[in-house]
Structure formats: C-alpha cells, structure tokens
Amino acid sequence: MSHDVFKADSKLPDRLLVALREQGYTTIGPTARDGAIVLDEIHASADLPVGLREDQEAGHYRLQARRDEAVFGHTVGPQSWKRYLFPPNHRLWAAKRSGGSFEIKPQHEADHRLAFIGVRPCELAALEIQDRVFFGEEHVDPHYAALRTRAFIVTVNCAEAAPTCFCGSMGTGPRAEDGYDLALTEILGRGRHEFLVEVGSERGATLLEALELKPAGKDALEAARKKAAELAGSMTRRVETDGLAEALMANLEHPHWAKTAERCLACANCTMVCPTCFCSTVEDVADLSGDHDERWRRWDSCFNSQHSYVHGGNMRPTIRSRYRQWLTHKFAGWIDQFGTSGCVGCGRCITWCPAAIDLTEELAALRGAVTT
Amino acid sequence: MTLTTKAETLRPVPYVLRDKWQETADTWSMALEPAEAWLQADRGEPGQFNMLWAFGVGESAISISGPTHGTGPLVHTIRACGNVTRKLCAMKAGEVVGLRGPYGKPWPIESLKGRDLIIMAGGIGLAPLRPVVYHILANREDFGRVSLLYGARRPEDILFANELSGWRGRMELDVLITVDAADSSWFGNVGTVTRLVRRNPFEVDGAAALVCGPEIMMQYSAQTLLDAGMNQDSIWVSMERNMKCGVGLCGHCQVGPEFVCKTGPVYPLERIANLLATREM
Amino acid sequence: MEDMTIEKLLGSHDFFDGMKAEDLALVAGCGSNVVYQPGELIARQGTAADFFLAIRHGRVAVEIYVPSSGALRLETVSENSVVGWSWLFEPYRWHFDIRALELTRAVRFDGHCLRKKCDDDPVLGYDFMKRFAAVAARRLEAARLQIIDIYGKKDDDPDNQG
C-alpha cells in the first residue's frame, strides 16, 4: 500500500465529490441542519458545513460561525457513520407463507456503494472497532460486511479539538495514519486554503490519478504530524487507560456507581450517539393477512429495561447496574471480547447526555479509592 | 483485520413439526424434521440451542432436549411463558417452524470421559441436560458412576417423569428427585435439590458436575458441591440470558465480558464464578 | 446389625460425627432402637414433644395438616439425618406431624433424659446445641429457598416476548 502525499487547493472537496459520484458512489458527509451538524448525502462542497464550528460541552451543543471559510472546521456532531453500515432500522429479510411452509427472501445490500467524506480519525477508529464486532471469528454479519467492504473512506484529520474530545488519550486521533482510502488535512491561514492529501489504498490512489495533484514535500507531512501531536497534548479531557479495565472490574461495587445512577436518566442517548455501540434487537413485523413477515433489526441499548430480560424479570433492574454495564463493557469487557477498548474518545456521550454526565470524570472517580 | 466472507445468514430454515406432546401443565416437547430434503440437519451437541421461529411472532432460544446422535427428529422442550413460546407450544403436527442453529458451547462431554458425574438439574433445566444422559446411556462404558439429582416445584411439574423412572429402573445411573412441596400422595423427597448432594455421597476425586436450572439454584448447587470438596474446574453450569441473535452480534446476553450465546451457555464455574457472585451483572 | 449397641450405631451416624467417645456413651444411654411402618404417624402436631430420631434407614416426612387440603409434605428426612427439635425448647410440643414414608429404622432419644444430661454437663450440652443449630440452619436455608418458588412461572408477564 502506498503512502503518497499530495497538495491540493480549496477546490479539492468539489473535485473529489465529482470523481466519486462519477464512479457510482453515493457521497455521504457532514452538513448543517436543524442547528447541528448531521450526516447526509452531499452533492457539492456547498452542502458541507463551511465556516461553521460546534460549541460543545457536557450536555451542551451549539453551532457557531467561524471567522474563516474552513470546510471541515467542525469536529463531530450527534450522528456517526455506523448509521450507514449498521442502520438504526434495517430489514434483514422478508418471508411469505408458501404451501404450508415459508420462503425467506434475504435483503441484498448489493447495489449500495457509499463514500464517506469527512470521517474523523476517532470515527475511523470506531469503524475499525465495529469491524471487529461484525466480522467475528465465528460469525460475520452479512449486512454490515456488504456495506463496509464497498465503502470508500475519506478521512479528515482534525485541526481543532472540541472541549469534549479526548482522542489524544485514547490513541485514536487527532490524526489517522492508516485505515482510509484518502486522508485530508485542511490547512488555513495567511491567505492560504489548501489540503494535504494522503493515499491509504489502491482504490484511493486510482481515484486521485484523475485529479492530477502535485506531490507534497516531505516537510508538509512532518508539519502535519507535529501539529497533530500538539493538538493531542492540548486536550484537557483525558482518560487514563493504563490498568483501567482491571480497576473497573475490581470496583464493581464502588459506591460511585450509585452516585452516577442518581443523575443518569437511562435515556440511552449515550449509546445512540456512540460510534461503536452495537446492541440491536429484532422485531417481526407481520401484515394483517398473516402471510407476510419481515424481520427488522433496530438499535437497542443496554440502558433499556428490556435489554437483559430473562423469564421472570430483568437481570439489571437498576440504573446503577445498567450504567455499570455500559461503562465496564466499553472499557473492560470490550477488550476481552474484541482486543480493543470500545471507546474512541469522540466525546459524543458527554455532549449529548441531558444530565451532563462526563465519562472521563466518572472513570477517574471509579478508579479512585473508595470513600464513603 | 481480514474481512472474511463467512457470513452468518441469520435466516431460519423450515422444519416440520412431526409430533408434539405435553410434558407438564406449561411445557411441551416438539419433534422437528427438515421440511425439505436438501436441508442437512445439524443435530448439534448436548447443551447447544437453536433459535426457533414462529412465523409472524418471533424467535426464542430453545435448548436441544433430545438425542444428538442417531437419525431421529430433533427434539426441543419448550415452556410456554412468552409470546413466542406460547405460539410454538400451540402449534399442531404438520405445521412448519423456522429453525437456525445450533449455537453455543456444549457440555464438555470429551473431558468427562472416565469420570464420575453428578448431573444437577432444576425445573426446565433438565431439558438441556437430557441429551447428556442420552449420550451417557449410549456410551455407558465411557463414564464412571453417574448420578442425576433433579429438583422440581411440585410432583406434577417433574419433567420427563416416565423417562426418569425408566432410567432409575435401568440401574445405569442413580436418579434422585426432590420437590419443593407436595401433598400426601407424593412418597418421594421433599426439599431442595442441594440436599440431594448430601443424600448421595460421592467420591470427590475425579468427579465432575454439570448444573442447569434457575440461576439461584445453580449458585446454591455449586456452593454445595464446593462444600463437598469439588473444585471449581470440575463444575460446569449452563447460563440463561436474553439470547436474540444467538451469534454474539446483538449484545443482549452479555454478562461481564461473556456473550452467553457464543462463549456459553455452558461454562466451567471457575470462568464465571465472580460474575455470578456480582449482583445485577 | 440389629445386635449392634446404640453407641456403635451412633458412631456411624452423620449427626454424631466427631463426638467424643465418652459423650457418645452418655447420650446412647438415652436412646432406643425403633422401627416405623410405612405411613405410620410418628409424631402429631400439638402433642408433647419428648423425643427426636436419628434416622438410620428409610425416610420420614415433616407434614402440616391443612384443613380442606389434607396433609402437605414440607420436607423429607432420610438416613443419616435427624428429625425433631421441639424436645429441646419449651413448651416441648410438636409443631408439625412426622410420618414414616417407608419402613424406617431409627434411634429414638428420650428428651427428658437428654435434657438432664445436657444440663448436668454444659460442655456436652453446648456440643449438642451446636449440632442441632447446624441442622436447623440448613433446614431454614432450604425452607427459604423452597418458599421463593425458584422454578415457578410468572404468568402473563407482558414483558416476556420470548
């Protein structure tokens, strides 16, 4: 795999979109709508959140105007790319009765080719984490697999961090070194507005050929890496990951769980905005004739009371135990299951918690000595 | 990470309900055969389960309760307690159900060879253990002394009652049954299944125990076996959790780091003792 | 077997496991061999409780008589266990019926005799009390498990989708 680096001017986003759409991709990217940056199909750079930034804090999110024309001057909004590979509502198959038996027609994802524009390094890490979930050693999810293997990934490295970001301590950003087809670094200032383009795959290299970009000097890459390291170091929120899993599992009865449970509403927002949470439920939807049945998969959350239902009751009846399930799964169980933490430090769960619960604070408190 | 192509279809295949019979007031057994000749039935191993689907209603995880060797139909024993299980139990012979599986880790039959076995079951928990008994009876010389200790709610709730009498009559295994309460027409034991351990002295050395039933019953049973001198690595339990997908993709059946549908439902006690001891995991 | 002395019989009974030889000899003096036929009522609720049984063979049931339902079996007790502790505490009255379910052989201990020996020798009394307390604790634990109906079914639970 090549790691060529090119330079491009501010027209790059539009040129990329054209090239991708010519190749038959549906181009998905960030766009401003209803006071937030969401993901949707984008046709041109005008659809991107040009000149916008997000003001994020625990339980707080506002769009603001930037002083410049940055195309990717935001960080991460409430949605993540998982909604395209692992959709919130997805039909798995449709069945009909036939001659006393039934026939099942599978859902084919075949003609869907998605290009993701503006995947942040933390989100790229989230995709790789979901790969480990859905491409299991024993079982592979065919729906995810079909969509994921064809998806074209354009990463955008971060030039700024929101106060809620903590990718620096999770080792997932603010710069991606691989895992993408193309990676962009937007450079603004002193009248300049250009992009550094890194190639991460053959597919990416092929696409770039038509754009005829000029190679960038080695120093440009060095400078980008240096800036990324500075940004990582400047993040105020952080998670101490050393020994974290062991500490959490040793502190399952820590009194702090109950304290957090007094604030937590079990609304499931954190799991919905989380780019790695993968819990789902299935529902059979039959028509009135009773001859047709569809199997729908829907996002679910470990905060829902039904999640751990077994005959006779719920294994986790309290919010305390559900919050504990979520946090210990994310930072401990996940490592046992998939060899990686389930958190990428995107900070969405902090921003979108209506009770402003900040998991970086929770983790620090849960590691601490038990004080009652 | 390599992106493999071995995809799990998550789609049931049609099985015909050949026969159905009532076991207790709320529990039925179903004999299933592939509806089409091309379907090669995977009979599974003792302790594994299948997802059974009632058209238009949904799926439920049901343990294989019949023999896993041989060629007869696949037998499942179902307690009618939810939407899906009620529908399945109401089906008639000749109707078609959907099946996908088998899933999960089976009882560790191979590592039990040559050992004395204590099989402890409570309530419907006897169903996933019955294939073990069938296997033992079909390969009797492979195992040492085998004791089946079974606890039920009342005499009329005893599962496979005729078969239990038959096994006792064959003298190939000790069968001890107890109920929580009974009227004066019951001449068997009354008391918890844990008390049967004391009633049935066994050589601890080399013995293994398989336990299945409500979680509280498994906890007390495991403790009784440990108190009797067994080690955690000689005791296996089968966990019940909310299995939706059966393949570790949907997240519902998690206990700590375990996906019970995938790394279980059968576990050596030493692997999950701490998780069992933690409340609301 | 029937020729064995009470003392020897007790030596191989779980309840007396580890008891000092001289204590065994002492309590054996209060015991006598008994045999009950299947169905025989051994003790009746409300009557004076002046003995307990160390069961050697067979099985007895602890029953409660419920008007309109008849006898309910609460628990069965088999060989190597003991049944009856009402003789230990005032007012020395049986709280339940005890009935033999099978041909049952046991050593029957006279309550007055034992109480006197325990009062005279508090060390023996304490040892005896500990043994009965252990039995009572196990029975209580079992009774608590029985009472929660662990195998029971929650009917019409709308949450149960499975």
Side-chain angles (χ1 to χ4, degrees):
Chain A
M1 199 177 293
S2 50
H3 195 115
D4 296 332
V5 187
F6 299 92
K7 255 191 336 201
D9 62 18
S10 61
K11 296 190 190 71
L12 177 76
D14 273 317
R15 296 184 69 200
L16 265 181
L17 286 168
V18 168
L20 284 163
R21 294 179 78 83
E22 275 174 359
Q23 289 202 1
Y25 284 102
T26 302
T27 44
I28 313 290
T31 190
R33 192 174 65 220
D34 302 332
I37 289 175
V38 296
L39 300 176
D40 206 345
E41 181 167 1
I42 49 170
H43 300 84
S45 66
D47 295 334
L48 293 163
V50 179
L52 288 174
R53 68 181 292 275
E54 295 153 305
D55 177 26
Q56 302 204 44
E57 246 312 329
H60 175 89
Y61 181 98
R62 295 284 184 280
L63 279 189
Q64 292 178 335
R66 293 179 64 89
R67 292 202 186 88
D68 58 30
E69 291 296 299
V71 180
F72 298 105
H74 60 289
T75 50
V76 290
Q79 298 177 337
S80 71
W81 305 92
K82 79 173 177 185
R83 65 185 299 103
Y84 289 97
L85 303 178
F86 167 53
N89 285 293
H90 198 58
R91 194 173 72 177
L92 300 182
W93 43 256
K96 64 170 190 199
R97 289 192 196 273
S98 121
S101 185
F102 58 80
E103 276 171 24
I104 291 187
K105 215 175 101 204
Q107 178 81 9
H108 285 300
E109 324 291 348
D111 33 12
H112 230 64
R113 290 172 79 210
L114 301 175
F116 296 160
I117 318 297
V119 178
R120 298 295 175 172
C122 62
E123 301 184 293
L124 192 59
L127 290 178
E128 287 172 353
I129 289 171
Q130 286 219 320
D131 288 349
R132 292 181 189 229
V133 174
F134 291 115
F135 292 98
E137 279 167 27
E138 290 172 49
H139 298 287
V140 174
D141 182 78
H143 308 275
Y144 182 90
L147 294 164
R148 172 68 165 123
T149 43
R150 284 193 299 268
F152 190 101
I153 308 288
V154 180
T155 285
V156 173
N157 291 317
C158 291
E160 293 169 21
T164 44
C165 291
F166 56 101
C167 64
S169 59
M170 296 309 298
T172 52
R175 202 190 118 77
E177 289 292 344
D178 49 35
Y180 48 76
D181 293 300
L182 294 174
L184 314 184
T185 305
E186 187 171 19
I187 301 163
L188 273 150
R190 293 193 212 96
R192 281 167 72 195
H193 189 184
E194 38 190 57
F195 290 92
L196 209 61
V197 187
E198 292 167 67
V199 179
S201 72
E202 292 303 324
R203 203 157 53 170
T206 310
L207 190 91
L208 271 200
E209 274 169 24
L211 302 191
E212 295 180 340
L213 300 179
K214 286 196 187 104
K218 241 195 166 153
D219 49 336
L221 194 56
E222 298 280 303
R225 284 188 173 134
K226 192 160 164 267
K227 277 196 88 168
E230 282 166 19
L231 182 58
S234 74
M235 291 180 199
T236 50
R237 275 189 170 84
R238 53 180 291 108
V239 167
E240 178 54 69
T241 54
D242 272 356
L244 178 60
E246 297 76 11
L248 282 177
M249 293 313 279
N251 284 345
L252 291 174
E253 304 295 349
H254 198 294
H256 190 77
W257 295 113
K259 274 194 193 167
T260 312
E262 287 172 12
R263 302 167 62 203
C264 174
L265 308 170
C267 71
N269 258 18
C270 50
T271 56
M272 298 293 109
V273 297
C274 179
T276 67
C277 272
F278 60 86
C279 281
S280 65
T281 187
V282 287
E283 194 179 311
D284 276 30
V285 181
D287 68 3
L288 284 176
S289 74
D291 291 334
H292 299 88
D293 186 3
E294 292 184 350
R295 172 71 47 87
W296 283 78
R297 176 165 72 187
R298 310 191 195 285
W299 283 0
D300 199 355
S301 167
C302 51
F303 283 95
N304 293 339
S305 64
Q306 282 284 303
H307 188 269
S308 59
Y309 185 89
V310 294
H311 170 67
N314 185 337
M315 300 307 292
R316 291 187 280 274
T318 62
I319 292 180
R320 171 185 175 274
S321 59
R322 287 180 228 158
Y323 188 79
R324 184 178 70 181
Q325 167 63 24
W326 181 63
L327 208 64
T328 54
H329 182 218
K330 201 68 50 188
F331 288 91
W334 214 296
I335 297 172
D336 295 311
Q337 292 168 346
F338 305 109
T340 171
S341 168
C343 177
V344 297
C346 71
R348 285 183 177 94
C349 58
I350 302 173
T351 299
W352 296 97
C353 177
I357 297 172
D358 177 346
L359 92 172
T360 64
E361 287 172 9
E362 301 307 311
L363 289 168
L366 288 161
R367 287 185 80 120
V370 177
T371 51
T372 43
Chain B
M1 142 158 308
T2 49
L3 306 185
T4 66
T5 53
K6 195 180 131 201
E8 168 60 45
T9 68
L10 301 171
R11 290 198 297 275
V13 295
Y15 271 65
V16 178
L17 175 57
R18 282 281 171 240
D19 196 9
K20 189 187 93 170
W21 57 96
Q22 190 160 9
E23 301 282 3
T24 67
D26 58 11
T27 304
W28 281 260
S29 284
M30 305 174 92
L32 303 173
E33 280 176 354
E36 288 153 43
W38 58 267
L39 285 170
Q40 198 69 41
D42 181 346
R43 303 187 62 82
E45 293 176 53
Q48 288 192 300
F49 65 94
N50 285 304
M51 298 299 298
L52 296 189
W53 174 53
F55 192 100
V57 184
E59 281 183 327
S60 195
I62 309 289
S63 292
I64 299 163
S65 68
T68 48
H69 56 271
T71 54
L74 284 181
V75 178
H76 296 77
T77 300
I78 307 171
R79 190 180 193 189
C81 55
N83 299 344
V84 177
T85 47
R86 265 197 289 271
K87 174 71 186 172
L88 288 170
C89 287
M91 283 182 154
K92 298 182 190 70
E95 286 193 66
V96 169
V97 303
L99 180 150
R100 58 187 180 89
Y103 296 127
K105 295 278 178 289
W107 299 103
I109 298 281
E110 278 305 308
S111 71
L112 302 177
K113 281 189 173 169
R115 304 173 73 169
D116 287 353
L117 300 181
I118 313 275
I119 299 172
M120 281 183 88
I124 187 89
L126 182 56
L129 279 165
R130 189 168 67 163
V132 178
V133 176
Y134 288 139
H135 179 92
I136 291 168
L137 293 175
N139 304 272
R140 191 63 192 87
E141 66 285 358
D142 286 351
F143 302 90
R145 183 182 158 206
V146 179
S147 308
L148 173 61
L149 317 181
Y150 178 50
R153 189 165 172 260
R154 288 177 178 275
E156 60 268 29
D157 297 315
I158 292 173
L159 206 56
F160 315 137
N162 292 337
E163 214 167 1
L164 288 166
S165 311
W167 292 340
R168 187 187 273 147
R170 282 175 67 168
M171 311 298 280
E172 290 182 313
L173 58 160
D174 303 325
V175 179
L176 282 83
I177 301 170
T178 188
V179 297
D180 276 349
D183 64 18
S184 55
S185 65
W186 169 251
F187 286 88
N189 296 308
V190 181
T192 58
V193 69
T194 51
R195 294 195 61 206
L196 298 179
V197 177
R198 288 172 52 79
R199 281 216 51 202
N200 181 62
F202 61 100
E203 280 297 323
V204 170
D205 282 348
L210 312 179
V211 187
C212 185
E215 199 157 311
I216 183 84
M217 169 265 173
M218 293 200 290
Q219 286 178 17
Y220 278 91
S221 299
Q223 191 54 54
T224 306
L225 293 166
L226 294 171
D227 291 344
M230 287 191 93
N231 290 325
Q232 281 197 346
D233 61 3
S234 294
I235 301 171
W236 281 265
V237 300
S238 179
M239 297 276 288
E240 185 191 6
R241 280 296 183 273
N242 186 6
M243 280 107 145
K244 285 264 182 195
C245 74
V247 295
L249 292 176
C250 80
H252 281 89
C253 64
Q254 290 180 89
V255 186
E258 310 291 350
F259 287 107
V260 174
C261 71
K262 194 169 78 172
T263 59
V266 173
Y267 292 101
L269 181 62
E270 60 177 346
R271 176 159 171 175
I272 55 156
N274 288 339
L275 297 173
L276 278 176
T278 309
R279 297 195 180 160
E280 300 188 7
M281 280 300 272
Chain C
M1 191 98 163
E2 293 308 310
D3 300 337
M4 285 174 79
T5 64
I6 300 282
E7 200 180 327
K8 279 202 173 132
L9 289 176
L10 299 185
S12 58
H13 193 285
D14 279 358
F15 180 76
F16 297 94
D17 185 37
M19 192 178 258
K20 284 187 295 187
E22 58 264 39
D23 287 348
L24 266 183
L26 209 58
V27 300
C30 297
S32 58
N33 268 311
V34 286
V35 180
Y36 296 102
Q37 299 303 314
E40 188 176 343
L41 191 66
I42 298 171
R44 174 149 182 187
Q45 183 190 351
T47 63
D50 51 9
F51 69 91
F52 84 93
L53 301 178
I55 298 173
R56 295 167 45 216
H57 297 288
R59 185 165 39 162
V60 305
V62 178
E63 298 181 345
I64 186 167
Y65 183 81
V66 181
S68 83
S69 303
L72 294 184
R73 302 220 154 118
L74 304 173
E75 182 179 35
T76 52
V77 182
S78 306
E79 56 225 35
N80 272 322
S81 277
V82 297
V83 63
W85 55 65
S86 301
W87 65 276
L88 261 170
F89 313 101
E90 288 189 59
Y92 311 121
R93 252 201 308 274
W94 292 107
H95 293 97
F96 300 101
D97 291 353
I98 299 179
R99 187 185 301 279
L101 295 183
E102 304 166 359
L103 182 72
T104 299
R105 296 178 196 281
V107 177
R108 182 185 198 272
F109 288 91
D110 181 88
H112 296 288
C113 173
L114 265 181
R115 281 206 304 271
K116 181 158 188 330
K117 285 183 179 173
C118 289
D119 287 342
D120 291 348
D121 181 351
V123 176
L124 171 68
Y126 178 60
D127 183 49
F128 228 77
M129 275 295 179
K130 276 201 294 187
R131 288 169 193 270
F132 265 97
V135 172
R138 269 204 302 275
R139 301 266 165 91
L140 182 59
E141 179 194 304
R144 284 171 172 165
L145 284 177
Q146 283 164 265
I147 219 169
I148 59 171
D149 195 19
I150 53 177
Y151 311 121
K153 186 169 99 158
K154 249 191 183 174
D155 277 321
D156 300 323
D157 181 353
D159 284 346
N160 195 332
Q161 304 296 319

